[in-house]
Amino acid sequence: MAARRHIPETLRALTARVDRAVREYHMLEPGDRLLVAVSGGADSMSLLHLLAQRLTLYAPGSSLRAVYVDMGFGGAEEERCRIMHDWWRQLGVSGRILRTTIGPLAHSAANHENPCFLCSRIRRKQIFAAAELFGCNKIAFGHHKDDLVETLLLNMLFNREISTSPPVLSIQEGRYRLIRPLLYVEEAMVKAYAAEAGAPVFRQECPSDGSSSRQEVKEWLQALEAAHPGTRENLFQSMKRVKPDYLL
């Protein structure tokens, strides 16, 4: 009898959670043309790795493309783009790699908006342009469970609304559907998976890293979780148990 192939525990656990999210929210369907937005972080690199292996199981007859938008920080854009190109080639994925100066522009004196807001908005436009180029109908983002909890708190604290990044969102009159297959996966698990998969994770050298409102909320949540274990999970589950009658 052939020896049973060992499957690392992190791979097994993360795959099971992505399977659940895809199934529960009907994220993928046969014949989908899927675009994965990749940033170089552990979350999106892990998502691309997993979908490169499992997309045909989720949605037979589907196609997979990727898009990477380099923000232009520092002097390492050439190396970042090379790393991304080599990673895609290893996974057998094709797509579009874009070099931009979005980052320095957003952090310049010419920008009177929040630099993170402007970076995100322009990057999204580039991603949608790639989706149009490849004829994709769905776009996958690597937002994980912790991201959704942090976004909930950010919107409550700074935008005066109770909302987060939804698992599935139809935009542009149904032209595209945004999906977040890492919905049930914690950040720590994503990082462990990326390490096991050998994903070449890198950072964009953004000067706002470590000083943004999101980072403040992340650190506050970490302290709260340390003092009261389970707090983060309670916040996540509360988004499924909204009681409109007890709101204003």
Side-chain angles (χ1 to χ4, degrees), residues 112-203:
H112 301 293
E113 301 182 38
N114 179 298
C116 295
F117 173 78
L118 185 60
C119 268
S120 176
R121 186 176 67 183
I122 299 177
R123 179 173 177 265
R124 285 289 182 101
K125 287 183 178 179
Q126 298 284 1
I127 291 170
F128 294 150
E132 182 176 9
L133 175 68
F134 295 129
C136 296
N137 65 315
K138 291 184 179 175
I139 304 171
F141 290 99
H143 301 130
H144 48 66
K145 193 174 188 177
D146 295 73
D147 285 329
L148 269 61
V149 172
E150 291 163 12
T151 300
L152 170 69
L153 293 177
L154 282 165
N155 285 340
M156 292 175 68
L157 293 169
F158 301 109
N159 294 336
R160 299 183 179 184
E161 65 182 41
I162 301 176
S163 65
T164 191
S165 303
V168 178
L169 179 65
S170 179
I171 64 169
Q172 296 188 13
E173 299 182 343
R175 184 177 184 182
Y176 303 115
R177 294 185 79 195
L178 310 185
I179 64 173
R180 296 179 170 88
L182 298 181
L183 163 72
Y184 291 124
V185 185
E186 293 86 358
E187 182 177 14
M189 182 180 290
V190 174
K191 289 182 176 180
Y193 178 95
E196 286 186 3
V201 173
F202 59 81
R203 303 182 71 87

Side-chain angles (χ1 to χ4, degrees), residues 20-37:
R20 176 189 171 192
V22 170
R23 181 179 62 253
E24 186 174 324
Y25 288 95
H26 307 287
M27 292 184 179
L28 295 166
E29 300 167 303
D32 274 340
R33 300 175 303 283
L34 178 65
L35 180 71
V36 180

Side-chain angles (χ1 to χ4, degrees), residues 2-247:
R4 186 175 182 182
R5 185 171 68 90
H6 173 67
I7 301 176
E9 189 59 34
T10 301
L11 173 59
R12 188 194 306 273
L14 186 142
T15 299
R17 296 187 187 198
V18 172
D19 287 353
R20 176 189 171 192
V22 170
R23 181 179 62 253
E24 186 174 324
Y25 288 95
H26 307 287
M27 292 184 179
L28 295 166
E29 300 167 303
D32 274 340
R33 300 175 303 283
L34 178 65
L35 180 71
V36 180
V38 191
S39 67
D43 44 11
S44 60
M45 298 290 258
S46 294
L47 179 61
L48 183 64
H49 180 271
L50 185 139
L51 288 174
Q53 301 175 71
R54 298 185 65 80
L55 181 60
T56 55
L57 297 176
Y58 295 140
S62 297
S63 62
L64 178 66
R65 298 280 190 144
V67 58
Y68 167 63
V69 182
D70 192 89
M71 311 305 283
F73 291 117
E77 63 269 19
E78 184 76 26
E79 178 66 8
R80 291 193 296 264
C81 292
R82 183 196 63 77
I83 291 172
M84 191 64 72
H85 178 268
D86 291 347
W87 179 237
W88 292 5
R89 184 173 58 184
Q90 181 180 332
L91 297 178
V93 174
S94 62
R96 192 178 193 190
I97 293 176
L98 297 169
R99 300 184 188 186
T100 74
T101 57
I102 296 172
L105 171 64
H107 287 79
S108 71
N111 175 35
H112 301 293
E113 301 182 38
N114 179 298
C116 295
F117 173 78
L118 185 60
C119 268
S120 176
R121 186 176 67 183
I122 299 177
R123 179 173 177 265
R124 285 289 182 101
K125 287 183 178 179
Q126 298 284 1
I127 291 170
F128 294 150
E132 182 176 9
L133 175 68
F134 295 129
C136 296
N137 65 315
K138 291 184 179 175
I139 304 171
F141 290 99
H143 301 130
H144 48 66
K145 193 174 188 177
D146 295 73
D147 285 329
L148 269 61
V149 172
E150 291 163 12
T151 300
L152 170 69
L153 293 177
L154 282 165
N155 285 340
M156 292 175 68
L157 293 169
F158 301 109
N159 294 336
R160 299 183 179 184
E161 65 182 41
I162 301 176
S163 65
T164 191
S165 303
V168 178
L169 179 65
S170 179
I171 64 169
Q172 296 188 13
E173 299 182 343
R175 184 177 184 182
Y176 303 115
R177 294 185 79 195
L178 310 185
I179 64 173
R180 296 179 170 88
L182 298 181
L183 163 72
Y184 291 124
V185 185
E186 293 86 358
E187 182 177 14
M189 182 180 290
V190 174
K191 289 182 176 180
Y193 178 95
E196 286 186 3
V201 173
F202 59 81
R203 303 182 71 87
Q204 290 275 350
E205 301 182 47
C206 173
S208 292
D209 276 352
S211 61
S212 63
S213 297
R214 181 173 290 274
Q215 183 64 31
E216 290 184 60
V217 168
K218 181 186 290 291
E219 292 174 0
W220 177 61
L221 272 172
Q222 290 171 345
L224 193 61
E225 181 71 23
H228 305 283
T231 300
R232 188 182 283 107
E233 180 65 21
N234 288 343
L235 284 167
F236 180 79
Q237 293 298 331
S238 73
M239 290 187 278
K240 292 188 173 186
R241 303 179 62 189
V242 178
K243 297 182 177 180
D245 290 344
Y246 291 86
L247 294 175

